[in-house]
Amino acid sequence: MAEAVSSVEAGTETSREWRGGVSPFGLSWGKLMMWIFLLSDAFTFGGLLTAYAIARSSVANWPPQLEIFGIGLVTTMTFILICSSATMAVAVQAAKASDHRRVERFLIYTIVGGIIFLGFQAYEWSHFIHEGATLSTNPWGVPAFSASFFVVTGFHGSHVTSGVIYLGYVLLRVRQERMAMEAWRNPLRDRNGRRIDVGARVKLLSKPQAPESTVETVNVRNDQVVALVPGKATNDAETFPASAIKVVEEAPEPPMPVDHFTRSERVENVGLYWHFVDLVWVFVFTLMYLI
């Protein structure tokens, strides 16, 4: 009987998920959209690499890549990109553990790896162009060789560039959220140990004759408080050090400013994109440079 009841409850819960508003895949909307985007992008890369394979198989005298490409340079590029994927994985784990500073550090490592990769790719492109390769001409005989190289590696390079910009945006958001969390956990306090939060009623010790004021903004890093001064315009305020403030009435304690799930998922989503870019490069490196 108990098993029947539990199975009915499970079925009811499943039917609720399919009524809308909840992802039936157990994913948030943002992560589901990222997976759909990556799937569509995988088809695009697959089409480009398939076209490359067809063009190559249709030409008997395809130029030997090992004699044209600097394999040592390309191998170094690949190693750096794989290392950046590892640092991205560490950043994702740190985000799930709410280790804000570690997330920032490893996101920076990942961004640096992506920039170094792009620098090597720019050097490789400049070498090819200097040798006389273009989209329509090829000094090694087959025009499709250089055209395939520029299109495939250029398309992947644009993804790496987008990934570096995406990582930079996430890094800024993580930094802002860390500062907000630090301000929430370690608020400014007056001499009596009372919290100085936005909305608190305070007495200005530097102006003992002035009536009570309202805290407008709090800057924890500089230990400064912006308070509305009575007698002036409504939007007028002055800045005072926390030591010059005496809290008369504390404001309600503000809620936690950062949602852990949203923050960790933001890092996880950019991690999915970066791992995809790295995985695609493994296929590009194998098909275009080695085989």
Side-chain angles (χ1 to χ4, degrees), residues 26-91:
L27 301 175
S28 68
W29 181 256
K31 186 178 290 186
L32 178 61
M33 291 300 101
M34 175 58 75
W35 276 113
I36 292 176
F37 167 75
L38 295 180
L39 181 62
S40 64
D41 222 20
F43 288 142
T44 305
F45 273 106
L48 287 175
L49 292 176
T50 301
Y52 166 76
I54 293 174
R56 181 175 175 178
S57 62
S58 62
V59 177
N61 57 341
W62 193 263
Q65 300 100 305
L66 295 178
E67 297 178 8
I68 298 173
F69 294 121
I71 297 300
L73 174 70
V74 182
T75 302
T76 304
M77 292 168 55
T78 305
F79 175 76
I80 291 172
L81 203 59
I82 292 175
C83 288
S84 72
S85 190
T87 58
M88 186 69 247
V90 176

Side-chain angles (χ1 to χ4, degrees), residues 78-257:
T78 305
F79 175 76
I80 291 172
L81 203 59
I82 292 175
C83 288
S84 72
S85 190
T87 58
M88 186 69 247
V90 176
V92 171
Q93 292 302 315
K96 292 180 179 179
S98 296
D99 191 343
H100 304 270
R101 292 186 180 275
R102 197 167 187 228
V103 174
E104 292 180 36
R105 185 166 67 252
F106 279 89
L107 283 178
I108 291 174
Y109 294 158
T110 307
I111 291 172
V112 170
I115 292 174
I116 294 175
F117 176 88
L118 290 172
F120 277 128
Q121 191 171 61
Y123 173 79
E124 185 184 34
W125 270 47
S126 63
H127 170 73
F128 260 66
I129 294 172
H130 179 74
E131 292 290 330
T134 66
L135 286 172
S136 57
T137 60
N138 175 29
W140 300 284
V142 182
F145 174 77
S146 58
S148 301
F149 168 79
F150 284 123
V151 170
V152 174
T153 60
F155 190 60
H156 180 269
S158 68
H159 279 68
V160 176
T161 303
S162 300
V164 169
I165 296 172
Y166 188 9
L167 285 165
Y169 164 75
V170 173
L171 174 62
L172 290 177
R173 288 297 302 272
V174 169
R175 179 176 175 80
Q176 292 172 352
E177 290 167 351
R178 174 180 61 80
M179 295 173 64
M181 284 295 297
E182 290 176 352
W184 179 76
R185 289 170 177 164
N186 304 294
L188 286 182
R189 298 182 183 274
D190 67 359
R191 296 179 179 180
N192 298 322
R194 307 189 76 181
R195 289 176 62 106
I196 304 176
D197 291 311
V198 174
R201 298 293 298 173
V202 298
K203 188 74 176 175
L204 307 177
L205 299 180
S206 58
K207 297 183 178 183
Q209 303 303 323
E212 296 175 1
S213 304
T214 304
V215 175
E216 294 284 302
T217 312
V218 179
N219 189 333
V220 177
R221 293 189 65 187
N222 297 324
D223 291 344
Q224 291 182 336
V225 178
V226 177
L228 181 65
V229 179
K232 293 191 176 184
T234 306
N235 59 350
D236 199 1
E238 292 185 17
T239 302
F240 303 91
S243 58
I245 295 290
K246 176 184 177 181
V247 177
V248 178
E249 181 182 352
E250 288 184 313
E253 183 175 335
M256 184 181 295

